[in-house]
Every structure is written in C-alpha cells, then in structure tokens.
Amino acid sequence: MTVNKEKLVLVGNGMAGVNAVEHLLKLAPDRYEITIFGTEPHPNYNRILLSYVLSGDSKVEDIVIHPYEWYKSNNITLYTGQTVTNIDTEAQTVTSDKGVTVSYDKLILATGSNPFIIPMPGADKEGVMAYRTIRDCEIMMESAKKYKKAIVIGGGLLGLEAARGFLNLGMKVDVVHIVDTIMERQLDRTASKMLQAALEEQGINFLLAKQSEEIIGDKRVTGLKFKDGTIAEADLIVMAVGIRPNVQLAKSSGIECNPGILVNDYLQTNIPNVYAVGECAMHRGVAYGLVAPLYEQGAVLAKHLAGVETGPYEGSIVYTKLKVSGVDVFSGGKFMDAEGTKAIRIHDEFTGVYKKVVIQDNKIIGAVLFGDTADGTRLMQMIREETDISGMAKTSILTDSSSGGAASGVADMKDDAIICGCNGVTKGTICSAIKEQSLTTVEEVKNCTTASRSCGGCKPLVSDLLAFTLGASYDKNAAKESICGCTTLSRDEVVDGIREKGLTHLREVMHVLGWTNEEGCSKCRPALNYYLGMIAPETYKDDSTSRFVNERMHANIQKDGTYSVVPRIYGGVTNPSELKRIAEVAEKFNVPTVKFTGGQRLDLLGVKKEDLTAMWEALDMPSGYAYGKALRTVKTCVGDTFCRFGTGDAMGVGIELEKRFERLNTPAKVKLAVSGCPRNCAESGIKDLGVVSVDGGWELYAGGNGGVKVRVGDLLVTVKTEAEIIEYSEAYLQYYRETGKYGERTSEWLHRLGIDHIREVVKDDEKRQALCARMETALSVLTDPWKQAIESNKIRRDLYEVVELK
Ligand SMILES: Cc1cc2nc3c(=O)[nH]c(=O)nc-3n(C[C@H](O)[C@H](O)[C@H](O)COP(=O)(O)OP(=O)(O)OC[C@H]3O[C@@H](n4cnc5c(N)ncnc54)[C@H](O)[C@@H]3O)c2cc1C
Ligand SMILES: NC(=O)c1ccc[n+]([C@@H]2O[C@H](COP(=O)([O-])OP(=O)(O)OC[C@H]3O[C@@H](n4cnc5c(N)ncnc54)[C@H](O)[C@@H]3O)[C@@H](O)[C@H]2O)c1
Ligand code: SF4
Ligand code: FES
C-alpha cells in the first residue's frame, strides 16, 4: 500500500458509485486508497437485470458486474453487509453499524433510493413488500412456490416488469394503477393503450384508475381494498409506486438535501470533499432514477477526482425501455404534445407499430416508439445533439428499420456518441473493439464491451455499427430476428430444427436447439407449443401451461375478472330451441349481459369462473373459440336462400366451412365470411378468408383484416363449385399454418410472402393436394375443450376450482 495515496471512501456499493470508481481507476489507478461500504451482502451487481432474474431469464450469479476478485485486484477494501451510520465531516471519517471507522480525504455518497411504501393501513402485514434488491427478488421467487395470486401496485416500469415476472413464476397477477393509462410518465395515451393490450394478451390483469385504501388480512395479506369499496384478492402485494432518494445518512450528517442530496455540476455537496452521485443526488432540481444519467454523472465525477480536465455535468435527457419480452416500448425526452410542439406520427395498426416524434423549433425534443424501437437510440442522439431537422425530409426522421435507413444513421454519429446508455458505451469504443478484437456478432460485442448487456435496447444500433465497420463482410444473419431472447434462432430455423431432428416436446426443443434459458419465456413457449402441434398434430400433446390465460381457460377473461362465454353457432344461423336454451342458461346463471358479437354470435358476459363448466354443460353447445388463436367465426349473409340478389348459398357454404375448420389451431386468430353476391353483406373483403358468390362461381379473397388496420383482401382464386371452395380454403389455411410466424395474422403473413407466391402454391395441383391431406390429419384429432372440461374432474378442479363430479 502506498503511503502517499489519498483516501477515498464510497458509501453505497451500487451501480452509480462503483461505476464512478471504475472510471476513476482507469484515469488515475494509483491516486487513491479506496474503501467501499455496502449494506447489501453482495458484490456490485446489475440491479437492472433483477427483472430478468425474476422472469427466469437469468440467475443471480449472472448479474454480478464486479466479482470479489475485482475489488481485490484493484486493492479496494470492501465492507459488504455494513451500513454507514455516521459521517463526521469535521474529522473526515465514516463509521458503520458494525463499528468500523475509516477516514477519508474524499467521500462519495451513492446511497441510491428507497422504494416508496404507501402508508396505508395494513402496509406492515406479512406478504407486503417492495422490489429493489436481490433479497426482494428471492422472496418473490420463494413466495411463488407457495402462493398463487399477486398484486402489483403501480403500473410504471418496475411494476410491469414485476408483474411479468410473476406470470413467469406461475402466479396470477393484477396490476393496480392509480390513473387509467399505464406508464403515463413515459408514454402517451395511444402507446399506453397498445402496451396494455399487449400485456393483457400475455395474461396480466389491469385494475386501472383505482385508489388503494387498505391492505386486508390477519397476519398475512389476503387482499387489497380500494376507495370505491371493491376488494381484490392477493397472497402477495408488491408496491412499485416510485422511489425516494435515500438521504437519511447525509441529512443526519448535516449535508444539504432537498429532497435528494444537493450537488453542483461537479457532484460536490455543500460540505468540502463530500460528493454525491446516483439516485440519491439532486442535480439542478432533478434526481434521476435510471442508470444512463447516473453513469454520465459518474464520468464527470471520476474525471474531477482524477484531476483530469472535464466539462460540468449539465443534466441528462433520459429515455426508457421496458424490459418485458414480447413488447418493444421506448420513450425518450419530452414526448407529450404541448403548446409550440408539432409531432410526426406513424401509427401502423396493421403491424402494431406506433412511432411519435415531437418537434419544437425544428429540433426533436422527444419520442415514443411502440412495436419497433430500432430508431430509439438514433433519435436520442438527435435529441441530445439538438440536430436541426429543417432541411431533412420528415419521412426520413422515422425510418423503417428493415429498410437499412437506420444503418446509414450510425455513420453520421460522432465517436463519443453513447450507443448503449445502460452501460455507457460509445460508438468509438464499439468500433475499436470490432476492429481490434475481430468481432462479428452482437453477442461478441456484448461480451467484449458490455454494450447491449442490460435492457437490450441498443442491439439494433450495435448491429448497425457492425455493418458500418465490417462493410460487406458483415453477416446480416447474425442480426436476424430470433423468436425471442432465449435463442438466436429465427422462426424458420426453429421449425426446420424441430422437423430435421424429430423433436417432440418443448424441453427437448429448448435443450437440443441450445436455448440459453432452459425454461423458455412467455414469447417462445406458446410459439413452440404451436409449432410442435402444427408439425405433429397426431402425436404432440398440447402443453396448456404454455398457452395464454384465455386459451388455457377456454373463455375470455374480462377486465373485472369474470369471463365471457361464446358458444359456437355455425354460420351465425340458429333456431328457436337453441335460442331458448341460451336464454334459460343466461337466466339460470344470472348472466348480466348478453350481446351479439361482430361475428354474429351470442356473447354471455360477466360469468364467474366457477360457473363456467356448469354453464357449458347446460348450454350443450361446442365452444365458439372466441378466445383462441384458431378459427373464430364464419360470418354469412342469407344468400340465395332468401335474398333476391343472391346467387350462391352463403349460409350453407358458411356452415360447412365452420364445421370443417372449427377448433383448428392457427398462428393467429382467423375469421371467415361468405357473401351470396358481390354486394358483400357479410364483409368478405376484410376477412382472413372471404368467399363471395359471383356469376358462375365463387371468388376467394385472402389476407383481409377489419381490425386495427383495415386491409382489403387479395383475390386468391376463382372457383366454380362448393367442393372447390373447401379444397382451396384447406390448402390456403394449411399453408398459413405451416409458414406463418406464431402471432402473425394472415394479412401480415400475406404481406411478407406476397399474394403471387401464395396463389402459385395453392393453384399447384400437387402442392394443394398435399396441403389438403395434411390439413385433414390436423382436423382429425381435434376435440371440443368445453366437453373435455365437463367430463374431467381434474380439469374442473385444476382450472375452474369447482367441486368434483361424483
Ligand atoms: C428491478 C429494477 C429494474 C430496473 N431496470 C432499469 C432499467 O432497465 N434501466 C435503467 O436505466 N434503470 C433501471 N432500474 C433503476 C436502476 O437500477 C437504478 O437507477 C440504479 O441501480 C441506481 O443506482 P445507484 O447506485 O444510485 O443506487 P443503487 O443501485 O440502489 O445502489 C445504492 C446502494 O447503496 C447501499 N446503501 C444505501 N445506504 C447505505 C449506507 N448508509 N451504507 C452502505 N450502503 C448503503 C444500498 O444498499 C445499495 O446497495 C431498475 C431498478 C430496479 C429495482
Ligand atoms: N426498464 C426500466 O428502465 C426500469 C425498470 C424498472 C425500474 N426502473 C426505475 O426504477 C424506479 C422505480 O420504478 P417505479 O415503476 O416504481 O417508479 P415510477 O415512478 O416510474 O412509476 C410509479 C408508477 O406508480 C404509479 N402510482 C403512484 N402511486 C400509486 C398508487 N397509490 N396506486 C397505484 N399506482 C400508483 C404512478 O402513477 C407511476 O406510474 C424508477 O426510477 C424507474 O425508472 C426502470
Ligand atoms: S351479399 Fe348479396 S346475397 Fe347476400 S344478403 Fe347481401 S345482397 Fe343478398
Ligand atoms: S441501452 Fe440498455 S443495454 Fe444498451
């Protein structure tokens, strides 16, 4: 130990403080004798990645940033599990709760934040907690083994990531949010609602605009009561309603706080030689809660302490990305419309992409991206650099990420532009590493530079930098779209792998095809379940645990926790006795609302879970699959049976199509319609498959969509007979089943493959017959799920919690 070294003490072994020390060691390795205190009993770890630990994508040991050896090799004295309880700013010493006193020449406070706990009655009950540390994460994972229902209070970034984690742990989860739009601090209403829909699809239940009043239960929590008098059940409640700077130590030591520790542009507090960095610090009225700004503070602090010339820290423009697999959300800068701002918006409801860029005085000041976040880092760069966009074509500001437009953007970035905000990695560092270490993939860049190690939001830019640095030799495949974060394989590679290697169940696929997460995630598990069933319909045993909640329950869960029941009514054609039975059932089970659906079916809404199976039994009708990635409905007009314009038997054909394809699993939901003449009363033009009677035959339209983005179907083929309608429909739907990506509607699939190609396939006699044969096999094994539930004690008990049959 060198005697002349100055003594530096860091209080808080978290992300901001240790990052500043890491920088300092690079700039002035021999200047300080360093001591670090940390309350948590761990070396420095990446708090961001706790969300991945909770969701099962990482293990605790994977998220350590600096292992104990790092401290040792840098001669740092580390006191873990010790909280500094006193600072003597006169004597320049700190003392821990274990009685250790260390003197300092320079002191850095990096004590982070405390989660805010709403001070409501019952908040101290067992099973009520925050989510901030490895310990919290462990408690949540342990609880999931014993308990079934969690409530997360707070629909911000943390709350949503926690909720997703609970789903992965097999718990049911409600997210309680105070206003009616989630992540309202990061998203505008449109993006928020798109996000909510995507998360509901994954199984999260939202209770919006709800004010929590009291946590109920004896010793342990059993539920949460709201101001409106309603109660939601819970075995575990996580509060994720924001954070407060942890300033207890600073305050008691006479360091000025309001509410965070007040610092100037060099992170100095009002007390000489005492600095603050990270979430505990308050700079120009802002206390940040994300790592990128904390690392920017740390870089200035490190230079200042190393005696290296540095400009001041002038504040940060922040951006966020939600780390939930299957949804891409990005928000940065000032994203809300305000007086004097204008916005460029792309809202492609067809692909579920929403992009908004807010502009003021010819400069981009904020952005919200949903569904495709590849533009995020580039837009942030433009916001930071206050790029003048007056000379730019407005359409080029938001690029189509698949067009290569974004790739050209990195060429214009300066070397010190930050590419990975989470880990503070610049363009220069990444490009040098690519050249010097001969890196060729995003994964290699991650391992070498840490860029893309955390939220993953910068992956597209890292990929662009590889293309930019390596030119033609860059293997674009390395950046191909994998089906989820558990694998680098694309949809086609996974399906080919299953076929070639004869894989038969989920775990085998994940094991043999080298999944990085042996449990899989919410994105790949349902997809694999579909692909395996599509490839081997006769032998594959469907894994219902890999299905989303509605498909598992065979009923649509509603926002109040009840279910809706839609029985199958073929072609929308019914009769008085069936209608009477439906009416009687509705009365018997006190169904509050009965409604006609857009697909000409009857929807019984507000059904209690425990009534579902008894109701299905009383109805004695098959499931209408209103919840599934399957054939939903075949809408029909009355056709030539009654209509004087009709030239074809729309009802007859519709009923036949529905009877043939009911229960068929498809990559996404499928809706059909049959119209008796080109007046098209059944709206055949906007269905996944639309049939229209024309003079002398029938036209089949493919890839229509009447949902979020209306798309008129393309004419697939014109046929003469009703038998041909069935044959071509079978071939078309089977080709979609075999080549569609899980979750991809026919409209998107058709857009990807092209109508010419699809037409060519179904018109080829040999191919069509082979497709029809495979379709027949798939259809031959389908059974009615409602009937199964009625007849099986196990299903009734496990899923619907009803008393067993004798
Ligand atoms: C689950 C989760 C996911 C997140 N995801 C993201 C994300 O995707 N992107 C993002 O940018 N940010 C994310 N964040 C926020 C990010 O983790 C924080 O902004 C960051 O960790 C703050 O760093 P810090 O060093 O200021 O505080 P911390 O990391 O909290 O470190 C402070 C440390 O100081 C210790 N300490 C406090 N007082 C004392 C004392 N008196 N003596 C000794 N030790 C003390 C604490 O125990 C703690 O270990 C996430 C946070 C959580 C909880
Ligand atoms: N992906 C990421 O970047 C990420 C992930 C997790 C956490 N974090 C950070 O961690 C910190 C904590 O996250 P957070 O989500 O708790 O904070 P937050 O402040 O971002 O969000 C809290 C949310 O809780 C809501 N809320 C407040 N009071 C409520 C109440 N009584 N009932 C219901 N809802 C209520 C608010 O409206 C707000 O949307 C933040 O700084 C966040 O940026 C970031
Ligand atoms: S589509 Fe033609 S046949 Fe059918 S109801 Fe309308 S007008 Fe009549
Ligand atoms: S920006 Fe989050 S990992 Fe790079």
Side-chain angles (χ1 to χ4, degrees), residues 118 157-158 161 177-178 184-185 240-243 289-290 321:
I118 308 168
L157 290 156
L158 185 65
E161 290 180 12
H177 196 56
I178 199 151
E184 82 287 357
R185 294 181 185 170
V241 290
I243 49 175
L290 294 162
K321 187 182 178 295

Side-chain angles (χ1 to χ4, degrees), residues 344 346 357 359 362 389-399:
I344 301 171
I346 293 179
V357 171
I359 293 163
N362 282 319
I389 58 154
S390 48
M392 292 168 78
K394 300 293 171 283
T395 45
S396 70
I397 291 169
L398 279 174
T399 54

Side-chain angles (χ1 to χ4, degrees), residues 430-441 444-445 448 466 469-470 473:
I430 295 173
C431 291
S432 309
I434 294 170
K435 281 187 216 141
E436 287 158 22
Q437 315 280 327
S438 308
L439 310 179
T440 56
T441 65
E444 284 172 359
V445 174
C448 184
L466 277 158
T469 316
L470 300 176
S473 65

Side-chain angles (χ1 to χ4, degrees), residues 111-133:
T111 48
S113 294
N114 292 322
F116 180 63
I117 300 291
I118 308 168
M120 63 177 142
D124 54 352
K125 285 194 197 306
E126 225 177 76
V128 181
M129 59 182 300
Y131 173 29
R132 175 85 192 171
T133 61

Side-chain angles (χ1 to χ4, degrees), residues 12 14-16 39-40 47-48 84 111-112 132 158 279 291 323:
M15 296 190 72
T39 302
E40 293 182 72
R47 201 172 297 287
I48 293 181
V84 172
T111 48
R132 175 85 192 171
L158 185 65
E279 285 187 348
V291 289
K323 304 189 299 299

Side-chain angles (χ1 to χ4, degrees), residues 350 671 684-690 700-706 709-716 732-733 736 745-751 755 758:
F350 179 54
K671 296 179 179 180
S684 302
I686 50 165
K687 299 292 177 211
D688 296 278
L689 178 64
L700 269 61
Y701 288 85
N705 193 311
K709 175 148 185 189
V710 178
R711 180 181 193 278
V712 176
D714 292 306
L715 181 63
L716 180 70
Y732 162 75
L733 288 175
Y736 167 52
R745 292 291 300 268
T746 58
S747 46
E748 300 159 290
W749 167 74
L750 191 139
H751 181 70
I755 182 65
I758 295 169

Side-chain angles (χ1 to χ4, degrees), residues 530 551 568 601 624-635 657-658 661-673 686-690 701 703-705 729 732-734 736-737 744-747 749 775:
Y530 169 74
E551 292 199 349
R568 178 76 69 194
R601 302 302 126 101
Y625 269 78
Y627 45 79
K629 294 198 190 320
L631 174 79
R632 293 283 177 92
T633 52
V634 183
K635 191 171 179 173
L657 283 170
E658 187 156 350
F661 297 124
E662 66 175 322
R663 305 177 193 131
L664 181 68
N665 287 315
T666 40
K669 64 183 168 188
V670 165
K671 296 179 179 180
L672 269 58
I686 50 165
K687 299 292 177 211
D688 296 278
L689 178 64
Y701 288 85
N705 193 311
S729 303
Y732 162 75
L733 288 175
Q734 181 64 12
Y736 167 52
R737 295 183 73 234
E744 185 178 46
R745 292 291 300 268
T746 58
S747 46
W749 167 74
M775 170 65 97

Side-chain angles (χ1 to χ4, degrees), residues 48 319 321 377 419-423 450-459:
I48 293 181
Y319 66 92
K321 187 182 178 295
T377 314
I419 298 294
C420 175
C422 290
N423 299 294
T450 74
S452 82
R453 183 177 64 181
S454 305
C455 73
C458 56
K459 271 187 190 165

